[in-house]
Amino acid sequence: MIADGVETDKTVTLTKDNNWTGSFTDLDEYKDGKKIEYTVREENVGNGYTSVVTKTGENNFTVTNTREPEKTFVEGSKTWDDANNQDGKRPTEITVNLLKNGTKVATKKVTEKDGWKWRFENLDKYENGELINYTIVEEKVEGYTTEVEGHNVKNSYTPGKTSVQVTKAWKDNNDQDKKRPDSVTIELLADGKETGKKVVLTKENNWTGSFTDLDEYKDGKKIEYTVKEKAVGNGYKSVITGNAKEGFVVTNVRTPKPRIPKTGAGSNSALYTVLLGLSGTALFSVFRRKRKEEL
């Protein structure tokens, strides 16, 4: 309490229990023949409050405490774990929801142009005197798993894998000339470029092998796999049929040399024997004909 601008040492304490209302009583009305002017002043409340005293009547005052609610913000960012969008499955935008104590209160669309970052501002820090718990929930991203850490989100996608099978076939009259090698080497190409991947086919693996754990996409486009055979030599030519999905067949073609009848002493003796036999038969026939004519 202040009287004519001078503190009087009189105080009242206002609380919720007294409905924040109190009175100064038994006050002198005059001093030295002059009416005393009473005013009030509030001791500093702290915690960011300011006081405004308003005279509402002859001896009535209202003390208004004002405090701007404390504000906060929530920000986060997106991390993509998808081999730099190798399969081209990453969306152009995502939707992030802000939850206040479990209830959705705001939504943001986030794109690469935003740097895959978001920020919710001018949020109340407290409600009913309690610290508000703000959380982030991302709407489902097709094909990706979601992991939320704090206010950040990580989306993971495992790039697709495939395999290519290759089988060797021989067209050399069942290796008639014994020129077939013990093994052949098949090389894998991706979009026409060598990959450095090879398989060796042999009789032991039934002339069949596979290229496995191959990326299915590159830069969002499906990879076209083909094969080629390292030169076999020995007069063989390679013919490749099939495709990556159903498998390739690499056929080695070689035309065997024609077989020539054997010549030499043995074969000449047989020829002479046949000729002599034929000659003898002819002479015998002539002799019999002449005897018949003489008779």
Side-chain angles (χ1 to χ4, degrees), residues 276-289:
L276 287 173
L278 292 174
S279 298
T281 301
L283 290 173
F284 179 73
S285 298
V286 172
F287 176 75
R288 288 187 63 186
R289 190 179 302 118

Side-chain angles (χ1 to χ4, degrees), residues 31 34 56 62 104 111 146 177 215 244 248 256 263 272 284:
K31 180 180 180 181
K34 293 183 179 181
T56 57
T62 298
K104 185 170 75 172
T111 68
T146 301
D177 293 350
D215 290 333
F248 291 98
T263 60
Y272 293 152
F284 179 73

Side-chain angles (χ1 to χ4, degrees), residues 109-121:
K109 299 286 187 181
V110 184
T111 68
E112 184 177 11
K113 186 177 179 180
D114 304 315
W116 298 111
K117 295 180 180 180
W118 52 86
R119 183 181 175 97
F120 296 91
E121 297 181 304

Side-chain angles (χ1 to χ4, degrees), residues 259-277:
R259 293 184 176 180
I260 301 174
K262 293 182 179 180
T263 60
S267 59
N268 288 338
S269 298
L271 179 60
Y272 293 152
T273 301
V274 172
L275 291 175
L276 287 173

Side-chain angles (χ1 to χ4, degrees), residues 20 38 40 44 47 57 68 82 92 102 144 147 187 200 218 240 260 262:
W20 303 103
Y38 289 103
V40 296
N44 185 28
N47 293 328
E68 289 294 328
D82 57 3
T92 56
Y144 284 79
E147 180 182 349
E187 300 175 344
V200 177
K218 180 181 180 181
I240 299 175
I260 301 174
K262 293 182 179 180

Side-chain angles (χ1 to χ4, degrees), residues 196-229:
K197 296 181 182 293
K198 302 176 182 179
V199 293
V200 177
L201 308 183
T202 66
K203 184 178 180 180
E204 284 70 24
N205 58 25
N206 292 319
W207 301 103
T208 300
S210 295
F211 297 94
T212 59
D213 196 34
L214 304 175
D215 290 333
E216 195 171 3
Y217 292 85
K218 180 181 180 181
D219 299 331
K221 295 182 179 180
K222 198 162 188 176
I223 299 172
E224 182 181 356
Y225 287 105
T226 53
V227 297
K228 72 175 183 178
E229 182 178 45

Side-chain angles (χ1 to χ4, degrees), residues 168-185:
K168 162 63 62 186
W170 296 99
K171 193 173 182 181
D172 56 3
N173 201 19
N174 198 27
D175 196 21
Q176 174 181 302
D177 293 350
K178 303 302 178 185
K179 298 294 185 179
R180 187 182 296 180
D182 294 330
S183 66
V184 296
T185 300

